[in-house]
Amino acid sequence: MKRCSKVIGTGGYLPETVRTNEDISKLVDTTDEWIVERTGIKTRRIAGPEESAASMAEIAALQAIEMSGTEAGEIDLIIVATGSPDRVYPSTACMLQHRLEIQNCVSFDIQAACSGSIFALSIADQYIKSGAADKVLIVGTEICSRLIDWTDRGTCILFGDGAGAVLLDSSDTFGILSTHIHSDGAFEDLLYCPNPQVATDSNINEKGFITMKGNEVFKVAVNTLGRIVDETLAANGLDKSDIDWLVPHQANTRIIAATARKLKMSMDQVVLTLENQGNTSSASVLLALNEAVRDGRIKRGQLILLEAFGAGFTWGSALIKY
């Protein structure tokens, strides 16, 4: 019997504090109109001083576990995708494992920037298909606001905080049909966040803030996501019309619209959370999936294409028969 990875639970958490475009316009030279036109973002959530990547991950994870109808102790593996961990080590996944009071479980973090949740899904799928795990919890959790220079107009308008989760179980019917992940370090200087604690002579004066060359990133992202769509469809022998929903990384409405056009999809078939969440990096795809599952848009039996692009560059897709 073939083992497959089926989604049995989703969860999400957004901090209470809302930061509007008007709020940001008091910090840098920008306007609500300019931000909306260029990005599609109106508001984003900001973690409170008492919140952490692990605390947000816990809330999202508990929602996914509750939806699944299973016990936390049944989880074999926890993978947390984050670019803003609470500590260099131990991993946020280990901290989450402790919060969930799970002892007999393997836990680790991965770092693939905004593509983190897709990379985590791919890893989890291999664990389940190989028989190394049955139930795998995946969480993307980010406190991007603490990596932002709030005087940098190019980045402070983009990012927000939050956590998304999905719980996978082994199944004899298809869940994840395929995953496709890629990376290319040649673009490392277009989007990065320095670690000033381990600075070298070449970056000794850099602070630990996200740095981005927006126009260059935009161009590569649009072209790359177009190719990953073709790759995913070809691998599964599918036509564009077979896809019911596109659940993209929430970075920029223009990038998302370009991917939808590639699929010849109406924007009504695209799950968009960007307007009121901003770019939550590795959490964004899972937050969007959770929202569409819980409000009933995504239904069992439908084909869902998840895709993301992030620093590295990293990019990837997951095709799921939900």
Side-chain angles (χ1 to χ4, degrees), residues 79-156:
I79 306 174
V80 171
T82 183
S84 52
D86 298 327
R87 295 176 175 175
V88 175
Y89 48 76
S91 69
T92 305
C94 282
M95 297 165 72
L96 174 60
Q97 177 186 349
H98 178 65
R99 284 172 171 268
L100 295 175
E101 299 180 352
I102 305 172
Q103 293 182 329
N104 298 318
C105 176
V106 176
S107 303
F108 57 83
D109 286 0
I110 65 162
Q111 212 287 67
C114 297
S115 305
S117 57
I118 302 296
F119 276 53
L121 282 167
S122 184
I123 295 167
D125 188 42
Q126 308 313 313
Y127 265 87
I128 289 175
K129 285 179 177 176
S130 70
D134 288 319
K135 290 185 172 65
V136 181
L137 174 65
I138 298 166
V139 182
T141 181
E142 301 283 9
I143 303 187
C144 299
S145 62
R146 294 175 191 166
L147 300 177
I148 291 296
D149 177 358
W150 289 96
T151 67
D152 177 8
R153 187 177 70 164
T155 57
C156 74

Side-chain angles (χ1 to χ4, degrees), residues 120-294:
L121 282 167
S122 184
I123 295 167
D125 188 42
Q126 308 313 313
Y127 265 87
I128 289 175
K129 285 179 177 176
S130 70
D134 288 319
K135 290 185 172 65
V136 181
L137 174 65
I138 298 166
V139 182
T141 181
E142 301 283 9
I143 303 187
C144 299
S145 62
R146 294 175 191 166
L147 300 177
I148 291 296
D149 177 358
W150 289 96
T151 67
D152 177 8
R153 187 177 70 164
T155 57
C156 74
I157 65 174
L158 299 175
F159 294 95
D161 303 335
V166 65
L167 185 60
L168 302 179
D169 194 5
S170 59
S171 171
D172 58 359
T173 58
F174 273 118
I176 296 179
L177 299 181
S178 68
T179 61
H180 309 266
I181 56 176
H182 302 275
S183 58
D184 188 346
F187 299 96
E188 62 176 295
D189 291 330
L190 295 187
L191 176 54
Y192 65 94
C193 183
N195 182 354
Q197 294 291 89
V198 291
T200 62
D201 289 342
S202 63
N203 63 356
I204 192 69
N205 294 319
E206 288 187 311
K207 297 181 179 179
F209 296 134
I210 295 171
T211 299
M212 182 176 68
K213 297 179 181 178
N215 290 335
E216 290 91 334
V217 173
F218 179 89
K219 292 173 185 176
V220 179
V222 170
N223 292 330
T224 301
L225 290 173
R227 291 197 302 272
I228 201 73
V229 166
D230 289 336
E231 179 183 344
T232 306
L233 293 174
N236 292 277
L238 296 173
D239 294 322
K240 297 173 182 178
S241 59
D242 293 321
I243 306 299
D244 293 301
W245 289 98
L246 173 65
V247 183
H249 169 51
Q250 309 288 316
N252 184 297
T253 52
R254 293 183 295 164
I255 296 175
I256 295 170
T259 307
R261 286 194 298 271
K262 178 74 176 179
L263 284 164
K264 297 183 179 178
M265 295 180 75
S266 161
M267 290 300 286
D268 291 337
Q269 294 173 271
V270 180
V271 180
L272 280 174
T273 59
L274 179 69
E275 180 178 338
N276 295 313
Q277 294 181 17
N279 181 346
T280 55
S281 192
S282 65
S284 78
V285 170
L286 300 183
L287 277 167
L289 178 65
N290 177 61
E291 182 173 305
V293 166
R294 288 182 179 270

